[in-house]
């Protein structure tokens, strides 16, 4: 199992796109689908001998090309992207950011698509997303647009609700009432023998 879909969406992809003023429902879904296809939503950060890194499996030469061929013409955007990277490690090991820094990797994945001047797909157009991924992002002879569609169906649109985004019914309470937890007679949980409290 990779990263929780709802957390990846709400804590990584959406805020990164909004930070870069590039959010749209279609781009958010395309990046989720890309992460689903490339790494099973982060289950793998590096596949065997493949050169791609991180949840989007971005190759070092693609990463370098984004900086050398695209961001060089967009200095304000380059500054925002650099601000997402770690302060010191980026200078010594820039490609490792693709595996260890989710927001930075998401920004670079966005730019892979943006540099190709794609039309942002509608959020429900899975086949369109698959074609864009295959044309722009795909870098191997094996996977097809249909593979993207299947990964998206299994890991994104077919993902069950998770604890990070609970689906409570009206009136249901996930916790005991506050008075039960903080009343004078409430008991503290017991601690195993030999385990210090502080």
């Amino acid at each position: 199992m990779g990263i929780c879909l709802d957390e990846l969406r709400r804590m990584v992809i959406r805020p990164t796109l909004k930070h870069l003023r590039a959010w749209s429902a279609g781009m958010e879904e395309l990046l989720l689908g890309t992460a689903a296809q490339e790494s099973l939503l982060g289950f793998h950060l590096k596949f065997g001998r493949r050169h791609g890194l991180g949840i989007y499996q971005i190759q070092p030469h693609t990463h370098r090309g984004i900086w050398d061929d695209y961001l060089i013409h967009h200095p304000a955007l380059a500054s925002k992207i650099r601000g997402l990277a770690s302060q010191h490690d980026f200078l010594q090991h820039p490609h490792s950011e693709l595996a260890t820094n989710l927001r930075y990797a998401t920004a670079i994945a966005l730019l892979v698509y943006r540099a190709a001047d794609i039309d942002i797909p509608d959020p429900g157009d899975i086949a369109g997303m698959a074609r864009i991924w295959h044309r722009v992002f795909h870098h191997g002879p094996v996977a097809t647009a249909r593979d993207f569609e299947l990964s998206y169906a299994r890991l994104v649109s077919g993902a069950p609700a998770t604890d990070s985004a609970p689906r409570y019914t009206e009136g249901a309470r996930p916790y005991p009432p506050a008075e039960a937890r903080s009343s004078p007679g409430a008991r503290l949980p017991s601690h195993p023998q030999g385990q210090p409290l502080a």
Side-chain angles (χ1 to χ4, degrees):
M1 185 57 125
I3 299 168
C4 167
L5 174 73
D6 292 327
E7 292 175 6
L8 182 59
R9 178 192 302 276
R10 289 183 303 105
M11 299 174 76
V12 177
I13 294 176
R14 187 174 296 162
T16 302
L17 292 176
K18 287 186 175 186
H19 173 70
L20 299 173
R21 297 179 184 218
W23 184 85
S24 73
M27 183 53 74
E28 183 175 293
E29 294 301 314
L30 179 58
L31 289 172
L32 282 169
T34 301
Q37 172 59 33
E38 293 292 333
S39 68
L40 303 175
L41 293 177
F43 184 77
H44 292 285
L45 296 178
K46 176 135 177 54
F47 279 115
R49 294 180 172 206
R50 285 176 56 181
H51 297 290
L53 296 167
I55 63 173
Y56 304 103
Q57 292 294 293
I58 298 170
Q59 295 186 11
H61 70 84
T62 302
H63 183 216
R64 201 168 17 260
I66 290 297
W67 280 100
D68 294 347
D69 302 328
Y70 185 77
L71 285 173
I72 196 163
H73 302 293
H74 302 88
L77 180 59
S79 179
K80 279 188 157 188
I81 301 294
R82 180 59 182 92
L84 293 172
S86 62
Q87 184 132 6
H88 300 290
D89 196 43
F90 180 77
L91 299 174
Q92 295 175 347
H93 309 287
H95 303 310
S96 70
E97 292 285 312
L98 298 170
T100 61
N101 185 332
L102 294 174
R103 289 192 69 192
Y104 178 82
T106 297
I108 296 298
L110 164 71
L111 296 181
V112 169
Y113 285 119
R114 189 182 271 183
D117 198 29
I118 66 161
D119 290 325
I120 297 172
D122 291 327
D125 184 8
I126 313 309
M129 285 187 243
R131 284 191 300 275
I132 291 169
W133 166 81
H134 195 263
R135 179 173 59 85
V136 173
F137 215 95
H138 173 62
H139 42 260
V142 180
T144 65
R146 179 72 180 138
D147 293 323
F148 179 101
E149 292 178 44
L150 293 172
S151 293
Y152 187 95
R154 190 176 86 237
L155 297 172
V156 180
S157 63
T162 63
D163 289 340
S164 67
R167 313 301 199 255
Y168 296 117
T169 59
E170 189 173 314
R173 297 187 67 146
Y175 303 105
E179 63 273 8
R181 288 180 286 156
S182 61
S183 66
R187 298 179 57 88
L188 293 174
S190 61
H191 294 278
Q193 283 274 336
Q195 184 176 355
L197 294 175

